[in-house]
Amino acid sequence: MGRRLVPLTLDNLQDLPQRCRSCVFWELDPVSAEAAVRAGTTVVEKESWISAVLLDWGSCGRVAYVDDVPVGFVLYAPPAYVPRSMAFPTSPVSPDAVQLITSFIMPRYQGQGLGRTLVQAVAKDLLRRNFKAIEAFGDTRWKEPACLLPADHLLAVGFKTVRQHSQHPRLRLELRSTLSWKEDVELALDRLLGAVHKEPALRPL
């Protein structure tokens, strides 16, 4: 079973689930998001957001494929690009962190470690870009796929709670701590990507 991760671009945005391609929960502030829904422009707004972040900041997501079938994705960006983040009671995201916005794995591919692999891919990318941490808003009452990730999942892949809340705690993954498992991350990603060469070692922060 061939697995690979590729950066999210406008070219493969269509490989995200339809509801995710047309969701602007994170990309717009609450008022603008409601207006986009009423106007039926959410798909265009999503594309515009992806394009703007790519041009201004760079890669902001990864898409996972198994045998060339898209099976999941992860989206992340500095909090300045994520207007909805300020609407949470546990905001703001720390200035030294990038926000893990959302992630999704198709049901039949869950439980195979892809969720952890996506987080590791984000960590590896951000270490190269000299960021110190990843933060995310979790959902303690999560019952089904939604814009927020279940807090239990974030804790399971290494995040720690930095601001408690009954429903929406803010969690943080220190990238400095990932240096201790850097080689495991690289090995997992090399296998996932089918790499044939060894990449340079990551520089400590």
Side-chain angles (χ1 to χ4, degrees):
M1 183 168 58
R3 296 183 177 187
R4 61 190 176 97
L5 292 183
V6 302
L8 175 65
T9 67
L10 292 177
D11 293 332
N12 60 9
L13 181 59
Q14 74 274 5
D15 289 341
L16 272 57
Q18 173 59 40
R19 65 178 181 176
C20 298
R21 296 199 305 270
S22 60
C23 176
V24 290
F25 176 85
W26 291 108
E27 292 81 0
L28 299 176
D29 64 81
V31 173
S32 298
E34 290 179 7
V37 170
R38 289 195 301 270
T41 59
T42 54
V43 172
V44 173
E45 293 286 356
K46 185 81 165 195
E47 292 179 352
S48 296
W49 184 87
I50 295 290
S51 178
V53 177
L54 284 170
L55 289 171
D56 192 34
W57 183 68
S59 178
C60 59
R62 292 290 185 274
V63 183
Y65 296 86
V66 174
D67 294 335
D68 294 325
V69 176
V71 300
F73 75 96
V74 63
L75 198 62
Y76 56 97
Y81 296 96
V82 192
R84 176 75 67 157
S85 67
M86 292 305 298
F88 285 83
T90 50
S91 65
V93 170
S94 303
D96 64 348
V98 166
Q99 183 180 344
L100 178 66
I101 299 173
T102 192
S103 183
F104 177 75
I105 301 293
M106 296 291 288
R108 65 173 293 191
Y109 294 95
Q110 293 174 7
Q112 300 179 22
L114 284 170
R116 181 182 293 272
T117 300
L118 284 171
V119 172
Q120 290 173 342
V122 175
K124 187 174 183 181
D125 179 36
L126 296 181
L127 277 168
R128 288 172 171 164
R129 295 158 79 168
N130 295 318
F131 286 95
K132 294 184 177 180
I134 308 170
E135 292 191 1
F137 296 101
D139 185 354
T140 61
R141 304 174 187 174
W142 189 93
K143 294 182 179 179
E144 60 185 18
C147 298
L148 274 79
L149 296 172
D152 288 346
H153 168 73
L154 293 168
L155 292 169
V157 297
F159 282 75
K160 306 294 183 183
T161 303
V162 291
R163 189 169 179 189
Q164 288 279 3
H165 187 266
S166 59
Q167 184 172 3
H168 298 309
R170 178 160 51 88
L171 302 99
R172 180 179 174 96
L173 177 65
E174 296 286 350
L175 296 182
R176 185 181 300 275
S177 68
T178 68
L179 293 175
S180 63
W181 46 263
K182 170 177 65 66
E183 292 183 358
D184 291 338
V185 173
E186 289 187 338
L187 178 60
L189 288 172
D190 284 347
R191 287 175 176 170
L192 182 69
L193 299 171
V196 295
H197 63 279
K198 188 66 175 178
E199 297 180 345
L202 299 172
R203 292 184 293 106
L205 295 173

